[in-house]
Amino acid sequence: MAASGINTIVIFLNGQKPGSISGRKKFLVMIKRVITSITQLLQLMQSHGATRFYAKKLSPNDNSKNQIYLGGNFSALNIIPFKDIYIDDSDLVGSKRERAKADVSFYWIRTEGKYKAPDAQLILYSKYPEVRMSGFLKGCKNAPSDIMSIRDEGRVLFLGITHNGEVLGYATGSHHPLSKELYTQDRWETLGVFIEIPPDTNKRQDTKSQLLFVLKRIYEKQWIASQKMSINGLIEPYSARNGGGYTLEAELGISPNGHSEPDYLGWEIKQYGVADFIKFSSKSPVTLMTPEPTGGIYQDAGIVDFIRKFGYADKSGKVDRINFGGIYACNKDYHNGTGLRLGLDGYDSSTGKITDMSGGMLLISRKEEIAAQWGFVDIMQHWNRKHSQAAYVPSLFRTPPPEYYYGAKVLLCEQTDFSLFLKAVASGIIYYDPGIKIEGCLHCEITYSQNAFVNSIPKLKTSSRLSVRNILTMGRQLNAIGEEFALRYLSPLDNIRSDNLDNGILGKTINKLLKETDNINDHKIVKEVSQKAAESIKDYYERMGIDAHYTNKREYLLRASYEVLRKEELRKHLQSKINITDIADVKNKEVLEDKLERLMAIYSRLTNKDSVFYIPEEINKVMTEFNNKEIKLKELAMEYQKQGMSYNKANMIAKEVIKYEAKKIKGNDEYWEQ
DNA sequence: CATAGAACATTTAGCGCATA
DNA sequence: TATGCGCTAAATGTTCTATG
């Protein structure tokens, strides 16, 4: 790679003696250590103590001249460790106001070491607000000036954060393999302007965690409009009621191409509709697979004759229509309409073993005719192919518009064994559920369904895994990822700006977190509470004579007070619910208790000083002060604007006025002190 | 009650002036 | 020349609200 070549040369120029043997040896070592993948970079950063990793796709404007944009709020402070925030009011030419800054221990890393950028700092523009990083090249000998001072698109800045608060930087140009790798991936979460790179990115082969990661993201999206990915990869809205599978597939980037089943990293993905995310009980049977019979009348005489022989006239009275439906389980008697039952041939249900591989599942008539047969061999193939790795995702549906919400509790099936499948068939857990009709033209669909599967999911929480496994009688591993998800919600992404006036940071975050974990029923609560809050805020405006048109200020106040109020209310509500002792509410209670616990956990995490989400009080204070000042300024400027001044002029004059008033106050103080 | 478009929010681009 | 600061404008994205 060209970039690696350049890298090597640079190493050479930096103090190596090309002629010497040791130099050459080192040179060879260096070649080996040139970084060509993100994994390698993470390893390098880890060797310097980094534990968290981020990347920012650099916009042209993210350069040393214009500084690197770190987001339109102060949440970047959650990501980049910094020293104290201080106010730089040195009257540099060009500096028009006081500005908050925070020093950062920033190092550029290379394969051969790390180099401190002594002047790196964060600038906290409270007015807009935004955070930018600057000074990262100044005074640093080995800084990647060639990358950080240009405006190329496609550049990437990788950051590694160490335990002791150092920031390690690594910049790559647009043609660098790392940049390309970052631009082509889409599995990582974004955190503000950053992409969060998980430390174990090198464990590529772990498709399970990858799958869970993606499913989590889909879950976090909450309601997703019904969609379907067309064969050419375009996502289109989809309005029919069976969009649950398509929507999930589209989210996973799978387009339904003919017969192939939805497959993500080797995992068979199935979704099933549920009525709520409490019980997770399926609305309808879950289709396991739809294999064609390999023998019997169905195969020999053909499907038309098969249905003519065993089917029944349409019950709703449609003429010229013969149906073949019903439920056929091994523990069920002959079906009334069709006179068939499901049986197993060549299988000993007492030992659970196949006695004859040429046997199979049969649909048998009272006259002992074999209406249809599925040979063990074929079915086994089918089963193992489809269910060696499968994930079942619950979904909620609502309309209009048609939308799906995929649940957090996903059932993962691994290492299935065909004998377990047969066991389930023998016991009637898995049954044959056809829906075939003849209506002039043919339409054929065969569905295997399994009810126990759905029923057993709610037990996950209360009973042990073993019992679930026993019920399922399949080699399945259940992962209670719901809980895991709940704990992993935390994201410092929130718009801290609007909440700075109070401890709204916590409120907002909790709001978001709760929303994400809420059950449907709780939307009502949220709505109720927010309405109440909105009313009282409106009240407050009127009392205070606040101009409702001044939306910025309104927003500040609204959000701050709203969050405080809502938080309180929600808590009260939860608390009261928990006291309900009705038998019917026991389950409810459990859910609510769980939620309250979660709420507390989130709280403690956010107020925990060791947490990356913690923002110290002093900083909040400084920033609040700033914001207050800015609000004042904006107000004043607004006044001038109302009087007909231009935006720029009004702002300038307001600035001067405030400066002047500050001086006046200071003067007064001095006067009184004397 | 869907809808357009207004209002608001977020992100990126870039100017003008500065220093060393 | 390379770098940095402060700010604003433009571009883009999202949410709210008036309207028929």
Side-chain angles (χ1 to χ4, degrees):
Chain A
M1 293 262 137
S4 338
I6 289 163
N7 210 346
T8 324
I9 291 165
V10 172
I11 293 160
F12 232 103
L13 292 176
N14 283 340
Q16 291 211 30
K17 294 171 198 156
S20 73
I21 294 163
S22 67
R24 192 171 298 162
K25 260 189 188 167
K26 261 189 188 169
F27 174 71
L28 290 173
V29 171
M30 289 305 174
I31 286 179
K32 267 190 187 167
R33 291 181 60 200
V34 157
I35 290 165
T36 53
S37 76
I38 291 178
T39 309
Q40 281 172 23
L41 176 63
L42 295 201
Q43 278 165 4
L44 175 64
M45 284 184 165
Q46 271 161 350
S47 74
H48 287 289
T51 52
R52 282 151 48 210
F53 307 96
Y54 304 96
K56 182 180 195 287
K57 294 176 181 173
L58 295 179
S59 305
N61 209 44
D62 290 325
N63 59 59
S64 53
K65 172 167 155 50
N66 303 102
Q67 306 138 33
I68 298 172
Y69 178 81
L70 298 184
N73 55 46
F74 298 122
S75 65
L77 299 178
N78 288 325
I79 294 167
I80 312 254
F82 54 92
K83 296 172 192 165
D84 294 331
I85 291 186
Y86 60 94
I87 292 163
D88 181 0
D89 54 1
S90 60
D91 239 344
L92 284 171
V93 192
S95 70
K96 289 185 183 160
R97 65 173 70 232
E98 307 175 330
R99 57 222 168 261
K101 287 184 176 175
D103 289 338
V104 179
S105 298
F106 192 93
Y107 296 83
W108 290 107
I109 62 159
R110 288 164 173 269
T111 44
E112 70 272 22
K114 62 177 186 179
Y115 303 94
K116 189 170 175 72
D119 285 353
Q121 60 178 2
L122 302 176
I123 306 173
L124 285 61
Y125 296 103
S126 56
K127 186 180 170 185
Y128 306 111
E130 66 179 47
V131 178
R132 293 197 191 198
M133 187 168 72
S134 74
F136 43 84
L137 295 180
K138 202 171 165 188
C140 179
K141 241 188 178 176
N142 286 306
S145 303
D146 53 333
I147 295 162
M148 295 312 293
S149 63
I150 56 173
R151 300 185 55 87
D152 279 11
E153 211 153 321
R155 295 168 301 142
V156 175
L157 175 65
F158 292 92
L159 295 177
I161 314 294
T162 70
H163 271 309
N164 48 8
E166 288 174 355
V167 183
L168 309 177
Y170 190 88
T172 55
S174 49
H175 297 299
H176 194 282
L178 261 68
S179 301
K180 283 179 182 157
E181 189 181 342
L182 187 82
Y183 268 86
T184 47
Q185 72 77 35
D186 61 350
R187 69 203 120 109
W188 294 329
E189 276 181 297
T190 57
L191 207 54
V193 298
F194 294 103
I195 293 165
E196 196 178 9
I197 306 175
D200 57 349
T201 167
N202 40 344
K203 289 185 196 153
R204 293 275 160 75
Q205 68 279 16
D206 183 5
T207 58
K208 199 210 294 194
S209 48
Q210 267 182 64
L211 173 73
L212 289 182
F213 187 83
V214 174
L215 288 179
K216 181 192 161 197
R217 275 216 315 223
I218 293 170
Y219 159 63
E220 281 172 343
K221 282 189 175 177
Q222 303 190 15
W223 291 102
I224 300 168
S226 182
Q227 57 189 346
K228 184 182 177 182
M229 191 185 264
S230 64
I231 291 163
N232 54 22
L234 290 171
I235 291 176
E236 290 158 0
Y238 187 79
S239 55
R241 287 305 166 89
N242 61 344
Y246 290 138
T247 305
L248 182 58
E249 285 169 43
E251 284 298 316
L252 291 165
I254 308 165
S255 67
N257 45 347
H259 294 292
S260 78
E261 294 289 324
D263 179 274
Y264 187 78
L265 301 170
W267 287 81
E268 178 88 11
I269 313 294
K270 302 254 186 195
Q271 69 92 37
Y272 61 98
V274 296
D276 57 62
F277 280 170
I278 302 166
K279 288 180 185 165
F280 287 96
S281 41
S282 158
K283 280 197 219 162
S284 54
V286 176
T287 303
L288 293 178
M289 55 179 175
T290 57
E292 281 284 297
T294 53
I297 294 167
Y298 185 103
Q299 186 66 29
D300 299 334
I303 186 169
V304 181
D305 286 357
F306 170 83
I307 291 178
R308 291 225 172 98
K309 190 167 164 96
F310 298 107
Y312 47 86
D314 186 74
K315 284 170 184 164
S316 64
K318 275 181 193 147
V319 270
D320 193 23
R321 171 166 168 168
I322 307 170
N323 287 340
F324 182 82
I327 286 170
Y328 304 85
C330 281
N331 56 357
K332 275 192 126 192
D333 204 8
Y334 292 97
H335 187 270
N336 274 340
T338 64
L340 297 175
R341 69 170 179 87
L342 188 69
L344 286 165
D345 180 33
Y347 175 77
D348 185 346
S349 57
S350 59
T351 59
K353 284 190 176 137
I354 297 170
T355 52
D356 181 3
M357 267 315 275
S358 62
M361 289 162 57
L362 308 168
L363 276 181
I364 312 161
S365 74
R366 289 198 171 90
K367 293 179 205 158
E368 294 284 311
E369 293 163 297
I370 295 175
Q373 182 193 23
W374 293 266
F376 283 149
V377 181
D378 304 291
I379 243 179
M380 193 191 292
Q381 227 180 341
H382 212 102
W383 176 252
N384 282 330
R385 204 179 65 234
K386 298 247 170 283
H387 292 269
S388 57
Q389 286 185 313
Y392 291 84
V393 185
S395 72
L396 295 173
F397 175 75
R398 74 176 179 194
T399 189
E403 288 175 321
Y404 293 92
Y405 187 165
Y406 295 96
K409 220 168 237 174
V410 177
L411 175 67
L412 295 183
C413 307
E414 291 175 286
Q415 295 150 19
T416 183
D417 185 335
F418 185 59
S419 67
L420 294 171
F421 171 78
L422 283 183
K423 222 181 194 173
V425 172
S427 63
I429 290 169
I430 293 176
Y431 57 87
Y432 178 49
D433 180 16
I436 311 174
K437 63 176 182 190
I438 300 182
E439 218 179 5
C441 64
L442 289 187
H443 170 74
C444 167
E445 190 189 326
I446 303 169
T447 309
Y448 284 86
S449 305
Q450 183 211 38
N451 276 332
F453 156 66
V454 215
N455 292 334
S456 58
I457 292 178
K459 292 193 178 175
L460 190 62
K461 216 173 176 179
T462 46
S463 65
S464 72
R465 281 179 182 209
L466 201 66
S467 75
V468 170
R469 208 176 223 174
N470 287 344
I471 291 162
L472 286 176
T473 61
M474 284 193 231
R476 292 195 166 147
Q477 291 179 10
L478 294 168
N479 292 45
I481 53 179
E483 275 70 20
E484 223 177 272
F485 282 1
L487 290 176
R488 288 178 51 196
Y489 278 147
L490 287 175
S491 127
L493 258 180
D494 298 283
N495 187 352
I496 290 170
R497 168 182 53 149
S498 322
D499 300 326
N500 253 340
L501 286 179
D502 211 308
N503 55 354
I505 299 168
L506 304 185
K508 178 107 190 252
T509 311
I510 286 163
N511 175 21
K512 196 179 156 207
L513 297 173
L514 276 176
K515 250 195 189 156
E516 282 178 298
T517 51
D518 264 347
N519 306 309
I520 294 296
N521 292 341
D522 294 321
H523 289 320
K524 232 204 232 152
I525 305 168
V526 173
K527 210 174 168 188
E528 233 170 68
V529 174
S530 48
Q531 249 166 21
K532 218 165 150 191
E535 269 166 36
S536 69
I537 288 159
K538 212 170 141 196
D539 222 52
Y540 176 79
Y541 285 152
E542 275 163 18
R543 277 206 317 276
M544 304 300 284
I546 293 168
D547 183 0
H549 290 297
Y550 188 9
T551 46
N552 259 349
K553 182 170 175 186
R554 198 183 70 186
E555 279 294 302
Y556 275 89
L557 285 167
L558 189 138
R559 292 198 192 193
S561 38
Y562 167 83
E563 286 308 334
V564 172
L565 198 69
R566 195 179 113 29
K567 204 165 62 195
E568 289 272 304
E569 287 290 319
L570 192 61
R571 188 178 269 214
K572 258 191 243 159
H573 182 89
L574 293 176
Q575 205 84 52
S576 73
K577 272 273 171 160
I578 283 167
N579 288 335
I580 292 173
T581 48
D582 275 355
I583 295 166
D585 277 330
V586 172
K587 263 191 194 150
N588 227 357
K589 189 178 159 187
E590 196 184 298
V591 171
L592 287 166
E593 252 169 6
D594 171 65
K595 184 176 287 181
L596 192 69
E597 213 171 90
R598 228 168 44 222
L599 186 109
M600 297 305 181
I602 294 161
Y603 241 106
S604 70
R605 185 126 177 226
L606 285 168
T607 48
N608 177 6
K609 298 202 175 187
D610 294 329
S611 161
V612 288
F613 305 107
Y614 174 73
I615 294 185
E617 188 113 342
E618 317 85 71
I619 293 164
N620 263 333
K621 235 190 231 161
V622 173
M623 297 324 301
T624 310
E625 230 169 79
F626 259 114
N627 279 331
N628 286 343
K629 251 191 214 171
E630 295 305 329
I631 288 170
K632 228 187 256 171
L633 191 127
K634 264 236 151 149
E635 267 179 320
L636 205 55
M638 199 75 176
E639 282 297 314
Y640 292 134
Q641 260 179 288
K642 266 188 197 159
Q643 288 169 23
M645 256 180 234
S646 78
Y647 178 88
N648 285 353
K649 200 172 175 189
N651 269 298
M652 266 169 59
I653 290 180
K655 240 177 268 168
E656 288 309 314
V657 168
I658 281 180
K659 230 188 213 170
Y660 170 74
E661 283 190 343
K663 264 186 198 163
K664 213 164 74 180
I665 290 164
K666 213 173 164 190
N668 278 345
D669 284 350
E670 278 164 12
Y671 174 80
W672 287 112
E673 271 165 25
Q674 280 173 4

